[in-house]
Amino acid sequence: MYIRVQTPLKPTYLVYFILLLACCISCSDTNEKKPAPNFIIIFTDDQGYGDLGCFGHPTIKTPNLDQVAAEGQKWTQFYVAAPVCTPSRAALMTGRYPARNGMTSAKRVVLFPNSAGGLPQSEITIAEVLKQENYATGIIGKWHLGHLPSYLPTRQGFDYFYGVPYSNDMKALGNMPSYWDNSHDPYYQARTDQFDVPLLENLEVIERPVDQTTITRRYTEKAVAFIKTNKDRPFFLYLAHSMPHIPLFAHKDFEKSSKQGLYGDVIQEIDWSVGQVLRTLYQLGLENNTIVVFSSDNGPWLAYKSHGGSAGPLRGGKGTTFEGGQRVPTIFWGPGYIKPGVVDELGSTLDLIHTFASFSNTKIPGERKMDGYDLSPVLQGVTAESPRSTFFYWSRAELHAVRSGRWKLYLKQHHPINYGKESISLEKPELYDLQADISERYDLSAQHPGIADSLRRLMEHHKASFADSLPDHLAARIE
Ligand code: MG
């Protein structure tokens, strides 16, 4: 693990007195302004709600993340704004549902290597918000918001980009064994040259195809270097791992390290990577001035059998608006800011831009409809109640469901077999009590028609807010 917890010294009365005196002196200057914190988002790809030790996995060992969770805040009801990569990442970056900026569409579920578009320049990203306060900004890992030069991260507020522009399975070369057909074998290993994915540094392709067997390790080394380079100024690091999205690759040091096959090895390498980042913060004395967020971009890709993760007790996985598709294992860490505990309130990656703006005392410029909330009062322990009481579940520019408090109402769902391809309008809305029925097994719409009606009205009101922000030319960007 990244640091040992020290056993406190047995204090004497003299030590108590000195501590009390020190406290009085520090409290006398209540106007002292804290310096702007550093922010690190560690974002995994297709990692399920149940894939970490601290979220209940029995055999994948994640001691670093378990320690991060124990020292920070573990959020058990935290959501991404879409159940697939591109729209989920667009929402994290902008604090807006992707239907507002064209990063979701009925035509294509995510951006592909032959897509012409990307996140519009008119959008304001977290990096651009923090740039106002002269943050150093870097993304290491997967972007997936446009691979053409005018859409790359360096055009969206990032000083530095090292990573892949889209998913690690894209541009699979022909005449190779099918990953899908082989994914029943937990140790099936694809060849890294089977996928023609480029590795970029800023605007330049530096390796193609990228050697994915060392990708998690290289991202980690670059992340540590970025922190060291920027240790004397505020920084924002977005470390967006390409794993555990298939095809799975782990460094040879992690081969057969878990009892869960290659998927477990990959997660355990990511856990090691988290430890390296935290260790670096401690080595540089940045632990009290940095906030680390760990989360995943969507639920597990269950179709890939043992190469997809686990949503734990949640229904469904990637590509669905069931809880398993959009509820993700999320931890906030930062001894200088975050009050340790477990938070069962609602939160979302949509909220990060507001939360970071609050911590850094910056404003989100311009006038635009936003979909997030400032979670900083909950993170700091000022209040136990999240400002977010509702969450809307969108897929492919279609509003499927809403959650309000403990209740979730569906008007649409994914096709029961053809997940991710089609939505179906339900003949009868379905209502679930997520507090008593975390797995969404018992439809209670007949027992609580009034609650179903009020949630339906919430959905109508929410949809109306898109009337002037969803022009067709934007909605067609993912093509
Ligand atoms: Mg994903």
Side-chain angles (χ1 to χ4, degrees), residues 241-259:
H241 286 288
S242 343
M243 297 289 147
H245 191 295
I246 64 98
L248 299 175
F249 292 96
H251 190 273
K252 59 179 170 31
D253 289 359
F254 290 86
E255 202 176 294
K256 305 260 169 68
S257 67
S258 83
K259 292 179 178 171

Side-chain angles (χ1 to χ4, degrees), residues 44-46 83-85 89 142 245 297-299 318:
T44 53
D45 196 347
D46 295 3
V84 288
C85 297
R89 287 152 199 271
K142 173 174 164 178
H245 191 295
D297 73 331
N298 51 252
K318 175 180 181 174

Side-chain angles (χ1 to χ4, degrees), residues 64 261 269 399:
N64 290 295
E269 185 175 10
L399 181 57

Side-chain angles (χ1 to χ4, degrees), residues 137-152:
T137 52
I139 164 174
I140 291 162
K142 173 174 164 178
W143 173 237
H144 214 178
L145 294 174
H147 69 283
L148 297 175
S150 56
Y151 294 106
L152 285 172

Side-chain angles (χ1 to χ4, degrees), residues 11 17 21 32 55 77 88 93 111 117 127 172 213 240 258 284 293 335 345 349 370-371 390 396 426 436:
F17 177 74
L21 194 65
E32 190 187 347
F55 276 81
Q77 312 206 55
S88 170
M93 275 292 122
L111 288 163
T213 62
S258 83
L284 299 174
V293 186
E345 296 280 302
T349 48
M370 301 294 290
D371 294 302
T390 55
R396 289 193 166 214
L426 298 173

